[in-house]
Amino acid sequence: MLVFGIILMVIGAIVAWAVPGIWQVEGFDWTLIGYIVLAAGVLLTIFGIVQLAKRGRTSKTMHTEVDPATGTRTEHVERRDDLT
């Protein structure tokens, strides 16, 4: 997600600042389209950074227990989101 956001920012900057000088279409605002794509790229980049930061703080522990009387296997998953 982070890489896609950066790619969108690059494409948006090119469309906003380079394309209007090269190619003009009647009734079509390349600058506005470029700014919209650039803003979407910024939002995706921020969202990707938040996901990376959150993923680094999550720990998952799995325990498997076997009941000696019945032989039944039980799995316990403990997930911790440490925010410190």
Side-chain angles (χ1 to χ4, degrees):
M1 179 128 358
L2 183 63
V3 174
F4 187 63
I6 293 171
I7 291 171
L8 277 181
M9 288 192 311
V10 170
I11 292 172
I14 290 170
V15 169
W17 294 308
V19 172
I22 297 171
W23 187 33
Q24 294 182 5
V25 177
E26 187 71 30
F28 198 75
D29 190 4
W30 287 108
T31 306
L32 179 64
I33 300 296
Y35 286 145
I36 290 170
V37 173
L38 186 62
V42 168
L43 289 175
L44 275 177
T45 302
I46 291 171
F47 186 67
I49 290 170
V50 168
Q51 276 189 335
L52 281 175
K54 188 176 179 182
R55 185 181 314 156
R57 297 181 186 163
T58 302
S59 64
K60 183 177 171 182
T61 307
M62 180 182 264
H63 301 284
T64 303
E65 298 175 358
V66 178
D67 186 6
T70 62
T72 306
R73 189 177 279 204
T74 307
E75 293 184 2
H76 300 281
V77 179
E78 179 182 337
R79 183 178 179 150
R80 293 184 51 192
D81 293 326
D82 297 328
L83 299 177
T84 58

